[in-house]
Amino acid sequence: FLLYGITVLFTVSAIAIYIGRRWQVGVALLIVSLGVLAMVRLMGGRIGMHETPHPSYGELSDPAARVTDERRALAEYALRERALKQLGEAFAAAGIPAMLVKGAGLAETVYPKPWLREMGDIDILVPRAERSRAIEALVDAGCDLLESERGRRVSGEAAGTRQLVVRVGELGWEIDLHTRLDKVVGRDIDYEAVFERARPIDDPALEGFVVPSSEDHVLFLIIHAAAAEFGHAATWGDLELLLARELDLELLLDRARRWRLTTSLYVVLRTLQALDSQQVPADLIVESAPAWPRRTLLGRLYRVGQFPVTLAPRELGWRWVVRQLPLRDDALRWCFGVMVYGFRRVADRVSP
């Protein structure tokens, strides 16, 4: 109820200010809503302690340092490659463009040996218009739709991710089938252009897949890092390897601004700097820094420039929704989208 209250207050105040009528009421509601947010912060912003292991620079720059048993990792990769080949053939047969993103895509492109990037799931991005056909193709190829997905008849259609499982022998990998990378509320990202910029994978066994351009992949990792409240340890090593490539930094910043991702880019760069990364461009930190009101709010919810970034337990719920707000450069879109998502989840529960 508190979450709905915050969302309604923000929405009403924004509308009142925008239409130019009753602006005094809009400003008053905005002040009240900020007060409620402050109260939420005091109630639960840092309840509990969550300490993430602090990776050394050697672990960031040398992927082999993060693998405890390379022989086991190699054996698992051999099975994972068979699973990816199976999935790629299914997409190719159906004529569906499919993009490997995050761990699975990076293992094949920036890691010196693909088995050095261990993972428990496979992230695949497909065009939104192809999602239903993609799910059918994967099910026909032997994948199983997770049971938790079957009870989301209403919100599942609007969600950006559906989850399946692919199995090879005794091992199985969860498939996150995405039409967007954001959780709950999508940013205004031109995914059609993302696919146009994509490039094929050198491995002939994975010819059914493409991978994002390096600049797009950096931003996808930042979206993922922000949604996980910067607590996913593998992300920092992934970013270090990506930033070591020749990137167009002006293009990266311009695209971050168009994707409304500049604040999250700033937090990630400051964190890498705190981890003694040698790949962080100082000019990019300055250019991506948010204005002081947002920096002040960030400082109340996150430890910007330190590691770990957050001390709150990572868990979805209303506290997570509130903590995501300062990371979203599209705050009004976020608030409205959360409200719509809430109504859809209610519809899931009451629909037969």
Side-chain angles (χ1 to χ4, degrees):
F1 291 108
L2 185 57
L3 172 59
Y4 283 128
I6 294 170
T7 304
V8 170
L9 283 171
F10 261 99
T11 305
V12 172
S13 61
I15 292 173
I17 294 172
Y18 179 76
I19 64 178
R21 300 175 182 175
R22 304 288 185 187
W23 65 269
Q24 300 94 335
V25 176
V27 171
L29 286 173
L30 186 59
I31 293 173
V32 170
S33 61
L34 290 174
V36 173
L37 279 175
M39 182 176 65
V40 170
R41 167 67 183 84
L42 292 174
M43 289 171 57
R46 297 196 182 190
I47 292 178
M49 292 290 289
H50 172 75
E51 288 293 344
T52 302
H54 191 310
S56 65
Y57 180 71
E59 291 174 316
L60 285 179
S61 58
D62 180 11
R66 302 196 299 270
V67 176
T68 56
D69 187 344
E70 189 168 346
R71 291 181 62 184
R72 177 186 55 79
L74 177 58
E76 289 186 0
Y77 170 71
L79 294 177
R80 187 175 78 227
E81 189 177 42
R82 284 175 53 189
L84 287 172
K85 185 175 186 295
Q86 174 185 336
L87 300 178
E89 289 174 349
F91 286 125
I96 299 171
M99 182 182 294
L100 281 179
V101 296
K102 299 191 289 189
L106 293 168
E108 303 294 337
T109 53
V110 302
Y111 277 74
K113 300 174 183 176
W115 55 86
L116 296 180
R117 179 53 165 89
E118 298 179 289
M119 66 198 72
D121 58 6
I122 298 170
D123 292 276
I124 301 172
L125 181 69
V126 297
R128 183 180 179 86
E130 300 286 2
R131 184 178 63 171
S132 296
R133 292 183 59 234
I135 293 174
E136 291 176 5
L138 291 179
V139 171
D140 290 344
C143 301
D144 298 317
L145 193 66
L146 285 185
E147 192 64 32
S148 60
E149 292 287 301
R150 301 181 188 276
R152 304 180 62 183
R153 295 181 57 187
V154 179
S155 64
E157 290 302 313
T161 303
R162 300 303 298 271
Q163 294 179 316
L164 302 94
V165 174
V166 59
R167 292 183 174 84
V168 177
E170 297 182 356
L171 287 180
W173 288 270
E174 183 179 294
I175 302 171
D176 287 343
L177 186 68
H178 305 281
T179 55
R180 65 168 191 257
L181 271 294
D182 288 296
K183 290 184 181 294
V184 182
V185 182
R187 290 175 171 83
D188 187 16
I189 297 173
D190 186 354
Y191 281 102
E192 184 176 339
V194 170
F195 273 93
E196 290 175 356
R197 293 189 292 266
R199 55 191 180 84
I201 300 174
D202 292 336
D203 189 344
L206 303 178
E207 60 183 2
F209 291 105
V210 294
V211 290
S213 69
S214 296
E215 291 80 13
D216 287 342
H217 223 158
V218 168
L219 297 179
F220 282 163
L221 287 177
I222 290 172
I223 290 174
H224 173 65
E229 298 193 296
F230 312 102
H232 189 244
T235 300
W236 306 111
D238 293 343
L239 284 165
E240 182 74 3
L241 291 175
L242 261 177
L243 290 172
R245 300 167 73 90
E246 292 186 6
L247 299 179
D248 187 329
L249 297 181
E250 290 186 8
L251 182 63
L252 178 67
L253 181 60
D254 176 69
R255 201 164 290 163
R257 285 170 174 161
R258 284 190 283 116
W259 290 10
R260 310 303 302 273
L261 194 59
T262 316
T263 301
S264 297
L265 171 63
Y266 170 75
V267 175
V268 163
L269 293 176
R270 288 288 309 278
T271 304
L272 283 169
Q273 193 177 51
L275 292 171
D276 299 322
S277 168
Q278 306 300 306
Q279 307 298 336
V280 179
D283 291 346
L284 196 57
I285 294 179
V286 174
E287 291 291 332
S288 62
W292 70 264
R294 187 182 293 272
R295 286 206 310 272
T296 301
L297 185 56
L298 278 172
R300 296 296 297 167
L301 297 174
Y302 298 98
R303 305 194 313 166
V304 180
Q306 302 180 61
F307 192 88
V309 182
T310 178
L311 293 179
R314 292 199 310 273
E315 57 182 358
L316 294 179
W318 63 267
R319 288 174 182 158
W320 175 83
V321 170
V322 171
R323 289 196 297 266
Q324 286 293 297
L325 186 60
L327 297 173
R328 298 284 301 220
D329 297 344
D330 53 349
L332 290 179
R333 182 188 184 99
W334 171 253
C335 292
F336 181 77
V338 166
M339 182 172 61
V340 172
Y341 178 79
F343 288 135
R344 286 177 174 145
R345 290 297 289 140
V346 171
D348 284 335
R349 298 177 184 274
V350 299
S351 61

